[in-house]
Amino acid sequence: VAFTLAELEEVLRARRQELPGNSYTARLLARGRAKIAQKLGEEAVETVIEAVAGDKDKLAQESADLLYHLLVLWADCGVAPADVWADLARRQGKSGIEEKKERKS
Amino acid sequence: VAFTLAELEEVLRARRQELPGNSYTARLLARGRAKIAQKLGEEAVETVIEAVAGDKDKLAQESADLLYHLLVLWADCGVAPADVWADLARRQGKSGIEEKKERKS
Amino acid sequence: VAFTLAELEEVLRARRQELPGNSYTARLLARGRAKIAQKLGEEAVETVIEAVAGDKDKLAQESADLLYHLLVLWADCGVAPADVWADLARRQGKSGIEEKKERKS
Amino acid sequence: VAFTLAELEEVLRARRQELPGNSYTARLLARGRAKIAQKLGEEAVETVIEAVAGDKDKLAQESADLLYHLLVLWADCGVAPADVWADLARRQGKSGIEEKKERKS
């Protein structure tokens, strides 16, 4: 897959510098953090519903919407994708038992 | 960033073939789709809260948890990351105006 | 307070028998269970955000929206408020310690 | 139904003055608003899942958990149930058309 989330994040960052009004992303950023977070939460709800309903195509679509709004939220909050990858790598490096212990404590 | 979600998805797929009991992922998959979707929804709620509360480090951590559970949900439902990237690319290729029109209809 | 949720539920049930098209409730019921559940999830996200943001008036408004959509969901699924009250009463009747034990098991 | 949410709210308020440590409610209040809001969001996710999965009994149980955590959130934020009832009554008093207009604007 040539298209990574890191690349997408660059696209997003570029878009942010465009004029407000000509992009959905710019308009969303202009509405503020609470609204972006709200949209993320809404897309998560839709993702949950399509997963439980068992519709694979809609799950892919809702997942894309969820990821998109997550990236916008990162951009708004100044979170670098690298920070998230680091957390993911840490999680992957742990054995299941260690992870479970940690979750319980 | 050398670490992509596509790579992570491979790690996940490999883990799935491990013995149940020695990994959090295997145990989660064993609990079924509704439980995985529930965990995804819970992580989304935590992501929303940390964003609104303005805690950047916790937002990165919760985002990692959210992405992780999203990948597990894809694996369980048979969604290929490539399908999601395709939906994301389609979304990025559209102008903001087209996108807005579509959202309204 | 003379206005109880049980009374509201009656209002809702009455509305359901009205002609579709002249009430938001009737239209929502016509869109099906997944859509009603989605709206409930969205209102919950907004409730969470207003609580964390500390806006008391908006929290009351979002709570009303949340309760309203919960009642519509009950009506759609055939859940009687009495069943929910019974579960609430059971929960209230337990000591905190018993409750905690149960949650852990 | 003799058991109203207003009554439950009184029970809750009374519990709040109990010693911390001997009730789930007191412990939850002690963990702070973000944690209470998080629990509310989690219960909403479970409610959504049980509704879509079509399990009536579990929907009633999750609804009770959702309402319970909503009441705890109101108590923590100083929202009076009467304020929420007032918002609900306003909503019920509107015709569907007015309501829809308002939602769109």
Side-chain angles (χ1 to χ4, degrees):
Chain A
V1 181
F3 196 81
T4 67
L5 279 186
E7 286 165 353
L8 183 69
E9 202 267 341
E10 281 175 44
V11 174
L12 187 75
R13 216 169 264 284
R15 264 207 181 189
R16 200 181 179 175
Q17 290 155 359
E18 293 172 20
L19 291 180
N22 80 340
S23 109
Y24 174 76
T25 305
R27 270 193 308 275
L28 183 55
L29 285 164
R31 296 181 74 186
R33 188 167 302 171
K35 182 54 77 175
I36 304 167
Q38 181 189 328
K39 295 293 292 179
L40 173 83
E42 291 178 4
E43 298 299 345
V45 169
E46 295 190 52
T47 300
V48 166
I49 289 172
E50 298 306 345
V52 175
D55 190 321
K56 228 169 107 165
D57 290 344
K58 284 192 186 163
L59 176 57
Q61 284 167 30
E62 296 301 342
S63 295
D65 283 345
L66 177 59
L67 286 175
Y68 168 78
H69 286 92
L70 184 61
L71 289 174
V72 178
L73 195 62
W74 291 353
D76 187 72
C77 297
V79 166
D83 296 339
V84 180
W85 298 170
D87 278 321
L88 270 168
R90 243 195 308 278
R91 173 186 261 277
Q92 288 295 319
K94 281 175 204 161
S95 81
I97 290 156
E98 278 167 346
E99 204 166 19
K100 202 187 167 185
K101 267 186 208 152
E102 218 165 277
R103 293 195 148 238
K104 281 203 171 154
S105 66
Chain B
V1 180
F3 196 81
T4 68
L5 279 187
E7 286 165 353
L8 182 69
E9 201 268 341
E10 278 174 47
V11 175
L12 187 75
R13 216 170 267 283
R15 265 206 179 190
R16 200 181 179 176
Q17 289 155 359
E18 292 171 19
L19 292 181
N22 80 341
S23 110
Y24 175 75
T25 304
R27 270 193 309 274
L28 184 54
L29 285 164
R31 295 182 74 186
R33 188 167 304 170
K35 182 53 76 177
I36 304 167
Q38 180 189 329
K39 295 294 292 179
L40 173 83
E42 292 178 4
E43 297 299 346
V45 169
E46 294 188 55
T47 301
V48 165
I49 289 172
E50 297 306 345
V52 174
D55 191 320
K56 227 170 108 166
D57 290 344
K58 284 192 186 163
L59 177 56
Q61 283 167 31
E62 295 301 343
S63 296
D65 283 345
L66 178 60
L67 286 175
Y68 168 79
H69 286 91
L70 183 61
L71 289 173
V72 178
L73 195 61
W74 291 353
D76 187 73
C77 296
V79 166
D83 295 339
V84 181
W85 297 171
D87 277 321
L88 270 169
R90 243 194 309 278
R91 174 186 262 280
Q92 289 294 319
K94 280 175 205 161
S95 80
I97 290 157
E98 277 167 347
E99 206 166 16
K100 203 190 169 186
K101 267 187 207 155
E102 218 166 278
R103 293 197 147 237
K104 280 201 171 156
S105 67
Chain C
V1 180
F3 195 83
T4 68
L5 278 187
E7 286 165 354
L8 182 69
E9 202 268 340
E10 280 175 45
V11 174
L12 187 75
R13 216 171 266 282
R15 265 208 179 186
R16 200 182 179 176
Q17 289 154 0
E18 292 171 19
L19 292 181
N22 81 340
S23 107
Y24 174 76
T25 305
R27 269 193 309 275
L28 183 55
L29 285 165
R31 295 182 74 187
R33 188 168 303 170
K35 182 55 75 175
I36 304 167
Q38 181 189 328
K39 295 293 292 178
L40 173 83
E42 291 178 4
E43 298 299 346
V45 169
E46 295 189 52
T47 301
V48 165
I49 289 173
E50 298 306 345
V52 175
D55 191 321
K56 228 170 107 165
D57 290 344
K58 285 193 185 163
L59 177 57
Q61 284 168 30
E62 296 301 342
S63 295
D65 283 345
L66 178 60
L67 286 174
Y68 167 79
H69 286 92
L70 184 62
L71 290 174
V72 177
L73 195 62
W74 291 353
D76 187 73
C77 296
V79 166
D83 296 339
V84 181
W85 297 172
D87 277 322
L88 270 168
R90 244 195 308 277
R91 174 186 261 280
Q92 289 294 320
K94 281 173 203 161
S95 80
I97 289 156
E98 277 168 345
E99 206 166 18
K100 203 190 170 185
K101 266 186 207 155
E102 217 167 277
R103 292 196 149 238
K104 280 201 171 157
S105 67
Chain D
V1 181
F3 196 81
T4 68
L5 280 187
E7 287 166 353
L8 182 68
E9 202 268 339
E10 278 174 46
V11 175
L12 187 75
R13 216 171 267 281
R15 265 207 178 188
R16 199 180 180 177
Q17 289 154 1
E18 292 171 20
L19 291 180
N22 81 340
S23 109
Y24 175 76
T25 304
R27 270 193 308 275
L28 183 56
L29 285 164
R31 295 181 74 187
R33 188 167 303 171
K35 183 53 76 177
I36 303 166
Q38 180 188 328
K39 295 293 292 179
L40 173 83
E42 292 178 3
E43 298 299 346
V45 169
E46 294 189 53
T47 301
V48 165
I49 289 173
E50 298 306 345
V52 175
D55 191 321
K56 228 169 107 165
D57 290 345
K58 284 192 185 163
L59 177 56
Q61 284 167 32
E62 295 302 342
S63 295
D65 283 345
L66 178 59
L67 286 174
Y68 167 79
H69 286 92
L70 183 61
L71 290 173
V72 178
L73 195 61
W74 291 352
D76 187 72
C77 296
V79 166
D83 296 338
V84 181
W85 298 171
D87 277 322
L88 269 169
R90 244 194 308 278
R91 174 187 262 279
Q92 288 294 319
K94 281 175 204 160
S95 80
I97 290 156
E98 278 167 346
E99 204 165 18
K100 203 188 169 187
K101 268 188 209 153
E102 217 166 280
R103 293 197 147 236
K104 281 202 171 155
S105 67

